[in-house]
Each structure stands twice: as C-alpha cells, then as structure tokens.
Amino acid sequence: MGGDRLENKTSVSVASWSSLSARMDNRFATAFVIACVLSLISTIYMAASIGTDFWYEYRSPVQENSSDLNKSVWGDFASDEADEKTYNDALFRYNGTVGLWRRCITVPQNTWYSQPERTESFDMVTHCTGFTLNEQFMEKFVDPGNHNSGIDLLRTYLWRCQFLLPFVSLGLMCFGALIGLCACICRSLYPTIATGILHLLAGLCTLGSVSCYIAGIELLHQKLELPKNVSGEFGWSFCLACVSAPLQFMASALFIWAAHTNRKEYTLMKAYRVA
C-alpha cells in the first residue's frame, strides 16, 4: 500500500512538472518569437535609415530660376571639391535634405542645364551628390569654409561617429541574427544570451549615432545660422533610427530574459529529478 501511494505521488509530481515545463517552453518560445519580430523590424528600419537621404530637411522659399548666382551655387554644390560652407549654403537656399551618404537640393529643372525664360511656374527636380569617404573623414573647421581657423575636433568626431555607428549597429544585429539561427537549429535558448547582448550593443550604437547627429546639427547651426525664412527639421530617416533603438533594447531584454530564465528553470528541474 505504501509503495503504491509513493508511486502515485511520484507520477503526479512528474506529470505536474511536465505540464509546468510545457507551459514554460511555450512562454519562452513566445518571448523568443516576439524578440525576433522586434529584431527584424529594427533591422529594416535601420537599413532604411542608412540608405535614405532625409535625416535633416530644410524648408526655404523658391529661388528665382534665372539667377546667375543660383546657378553658381548649384554648380559649387555638385563639385567634388565643395567645402562644408558651400554645400550647406546650397542646402539652406534650395530645400536641401541630408543623409548619411548623400546631400540633395531641389532646383528648377531647366536652369540646371540652360538659361530658361522667366516664367511664373517651372518644374522642380531634386539633384543629389554623394559624400565621398574623404569627405566623411575630413576634418571640420572652427569657422566652416575657412581652413585657417583651426580644426574643430568635437564636430569632426561627432560627424565620424554618426557615420560609422549605424553600420556597426547593423553589423551587430546581423551577427546576432546568425547566432539566433544557430540557436533555433540546435533547439536551445542558451546561445540567445549572446544574441541579446549583441542587440543591446547595437541599440547603444544606434542611440549614440542619433545623439551625435543631433549634437552635430546643433553645433553646425551655431556656426552657420539659418537664413531668414529658412527652417530646418529632422526628417523621417532620422525618425526611423530613433524608433530602431528602443526596438533593439526591447528585443535584447526578451532574448536575455528567455535564455536566462529557461536556463534557471532547467537547472531546478534537473535538480528535482536527481533528488
């Protein structure tokens, strides 16, 4: 009789632990899936942010399409030797947009190629020029455009960080996704701790890039004040990067929680079975 009761209790305990284990596995799997979805969305947002040209946008009145001065500014803007002041003046005057890789201005279509007749309305075209690697790593000067004013180290390194950190963030997330794929193949949540840590570092890089960009824009506008009737605002590419950072942090928290808690529960179950 005593042996039968002990066996029944053991069976009930094993059944209850099996039920609890199944519920925990479902909980961990749900957290893992949600983290993967957040990671995918943040990766798409970050990639779109890096590849588009709307980190910052300027709004200015439409310029006269027959002005020789405007044509000169447009030519200087497209030049590979354009300095910081030259292309920023064009951005201010011609509804410019700036990305991490390119800068764009909106100009009357005809005057880009030839002298048009004066008309009350004319078609507009967006012209973009890429930042070369030399321009990305070029020193910024205390007085933009004046090479004799000395190097502004703060703005120089802010610019370099805002350019490099998004790529570091994207690379960390891709590496984390590879580790997560290996975890799925191995049917184990343990490697997802590394995935969570990589997503945490990626989020910090994204946050650092956004912060550097804001600081760089504010310092630039202190050096080069916006002309009258010209306004500036952060664009949707910048907003995508801002949204990507918290998504990365949330994915990181879920990955680390799922892996850590699953390992802890597995250790308790193993100890119970041994006992």
Side-chain angles (χ1 to χ4, degrees), residues 39-108:
S39 175
L40 178 61
I41 294 174
S42 63
T43 301
I44 293 173
Y45 282 3
M46 199 66 220
S49 177
I50 292 174
T52 50
D53 310 317
F54 297 91
W55 278 66
Y56 203 84
E57 305 177 36
Y58 295 99
R59 295 287 179 265
S60 58
V62 176
Q63 302 293 322
E64 287 286 344
N65 64 335
S66 59
S67 171
D68 292 335
L69 175 61
N70 294 343
K71 293 179 64 176
S72 174
V73 171
W74 301 335
D76 292 339
F77 177 83
S79 173
D80 293 336
E81 299 179 356
D83 59 33
E84 185 181 24
K85 186 178 186 305
T86 300
Y87 69 72
N88 274 295
D89 284 342
L91 291 171
F92 295 163
R93 293 167 60 89
Y94 300 103
N95 294 296
T97 62
V98 187
L100 298 180
W101 278 99
R102 296 197 307 173
R103 56 186 186 266
C104 304
I105 55 176
T106 302
V107 298

Side-chain angles (χ1 to χ4, degrees), residues 143-268:
D143 182 12
N146 183 0
H147 294 194
N148 297 321
S149 61
I151 298 174
D152 191 332
L153 292 177
L154 178 58
R155 291 201 308 118
T156 297
Y157 285 104
L158 284 174
W159 181 279
R160 293 176 182 177
C161 288
Q162 77 183 27
F163 164 68
L164 291 174
L165 287 178
F167 291 98
V168 175
S169 174
L170 199 59
L172 289 172
M173 291 182 65
C174 292
F175 188 51
L178 182 61
I179 294 178
L181 180 62
C182 294
C184 292
I185 295 175
C186 299
R187 296 183 179 181
S188 172
L189 286 176
Y190 294 161
T192 56
I193 290 182
T195 301
I197 293 173
L198 289 174
H199 276 71
L200 177 61
L201 295 176
L204 292 174
C205 288
T206 302
L207 189 61
S209 176
V210 168
S211 301
C212 289
Y213 195 85
I214 295 174
I217 285 291
E218 291 298 325
L219 291 174
L220 174 64
H221 290 166
Q222 290 177 13
K223 306 287 185 180
L224 296 174
E225 293 185 3
L226 294 178
K228 207 171 186 181
N229 299 326
V230 175
S231 62
E233 60 184 12
F234 293 100
W236 58 266
S237 300
F238 175 83
C239 294
L240 287 179
C242 292
V243 173
S244 180
L247 292 178
Q248 291 166 340
F249 287 132
M250 287 189 287
S252 171
L254 286 173
F255 279 131
I256 294 175
W257 174 83
H260 177 73
T261 309
N262 181 64
R263 184 172 183 177
K264 182 178 179 181
E265 297 294 344
Y266 177 78
T267 302
L268 291 175

Side-chain angles (χ1 to χ4, degrees), residues 64-65 110 116-123:
E64 287 286 344
N65 64 335
N110 293 332
E117 298 179 357
R118 288 183 64 91
T119 56
E120 294 183 359
S121 62
F122 43 86
D123 295 332

